[in-house]
Amino acid sequence: MRGGTCSTLFAAVLLAACGDDSSGTQGNVCTPGTRTTVTVTATGVTKATCLLPGGTVTFRNSDAAAAHSIQNTSGLAACNALNLGPIAAAGGSVDATLPSAAACAFAESAHANDPAFQGTVFVMTAPAGGPGH
């Protein structure tokens, strides 16, 4: 029963966490595409987005004052592309391609313990929906 509980919990988090993204969010449904964008600002990052396996996520720095670095905090090898070097300030961007389905947690390196600077890229093959979008 414990495995079923974990699976149900993961599905609930996946369904509830997909936020606005360039892949496509309408109402409560996150539709994965081949590209999406995560915005990094002085106050935090895009919390969640979705992407098709093999798709590219662009991390765009909208903070005029600082460069930011992103790190994979999921512990999954499929998410290692999120270990990014510095993203230049004032509109700089860096791309990462995620090869397979996974919930890729990430954080801005200098603020890794601050929830405002933590997010997730859900790499999935079908639209997901649920309350909380």
Side-chain angles (χ1 to χ4, degrees), residues 10 14 76 78-79 100-104 120-124:
F10 176 75
L14 175 65
L76 301 173
C79 305
S100 56
C104 294
T120 306
V121 178
F122 291 98
V123 185
M124 55 195 192

Side-chain angles (χ1 to χ4, degrees), residues 107-115 118:
E108 196 282 328
S109 300
H111 303 95
N113 293 323
D114 183 343
Q118 300 168 358

